[in-house]
Structures are given as C-alpha cells and as structure tokens.
C-alpha cells in the first residue's frame, strides 16, 4: 500500500511541477491548465485511474481486515449476529426477593 501511495505522490508532484520529461505528464498535462485540474489530471487517463482503484481497493481490504470479527457472537465465533437478533442467549428472569411470592 505504501508503494502505491508513493507512486501516486510522485506522479502528482510531476504533474503539478510540469515535469514534461515523463510521458504521462506530457500526454495529460499543460502549463495553461489551472492547478486544480492539473492535480485531477492524475486520475484522468487510464494509468491514473488504475492507480486510483488499486489504492482504493487496498484501503478497503485493509479496513475489512481491521474490523473483521467485531460485534461477533461469542457463542458462534466467526459468525456475525443478524440484525434485530440478540448477540447471545436471553437474559434470565430474576427471582423474586426472599419472602415474597409471585401472585398468579
């Protein structure tokens, strides 16, 4: 993931500094283009969008691995609880205090 972020940063720097020695910058950049559009030019061509989706996919996988297993049912490890259902067995009904009986 660090290599992809470093590649995106290097390409963005080359675009913003108008380093036309790189073919990508020469094909997709221009000195007359405003800075906002120059920065967005990284994602405008096929190579840049592939880089974008690779970074986004890696971030999603990293987040999924980080949050995997949270809110899981301790009675069934690895299986998340369904919505609207309790995560464990129902709580027991407390017994009445000593000396008191329930009325029918």
């Amino acid at each position: 993931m660090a290599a992809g972020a470093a590649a995106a940063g290097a390409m963005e720097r080359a675009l913003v500094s108008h380093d036309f020695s790189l073919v990508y910058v020469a094909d997709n950049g221009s000195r007359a283009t405003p800075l906002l559009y120059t920065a967005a030019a990284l994602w405008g061509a096929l190579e840049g969008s592939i880089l974008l989706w690779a970074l986004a996919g890696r971030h999603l996988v990293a987040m999924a691995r980080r949050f995997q297993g949270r809110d899981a049912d301790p009675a069934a490890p690895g299986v998340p609880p369904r919505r609207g259902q309790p995560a464990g067995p129902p709580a027991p009904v407390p017994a009445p205090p000593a000396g008191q009986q329930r009325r029918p």
Side-chain angles (χ1 to χ4, degrees):
M1 192 157 65
M11 189 65 74
E12 193 68 51
R13 182 178 171 151
L15 280 165
V16 171
S17 66
H18 303 291
D19 182 6
F20 294 114
S21 65
L22 297 173
V23 174
Y24 187 86
V25 177
D27 289 344
N28 299 301
S30 168
R31 291 192 188 274
T33 306
L35 180 63
L36 178 65
Y37 296 116
T38 301
L42 176 63
W43 318 117
L46 178 64
E47 297 89 351
S49 64
I50 289 173
L51 185 58
L52 168 70
W53 287 111
L55 284 173
R58 287 182 179 182
H59 282 291
L60 288 174
V61 168
M63 286 179 10
R65 286 183 181 165
R66 182 175 181 183
F67 294 112
Q68 185 178 10
R70 290 192 183 180
D71 298 330
D73 186 0
V79 179
R82 292 184 181 177
R83 288 186 177 190
Q85 293 184 348
V93 177
Q100 292 183 359
Q101 295 181 0
R102 291 187 184 173
R103 293 187 174 181

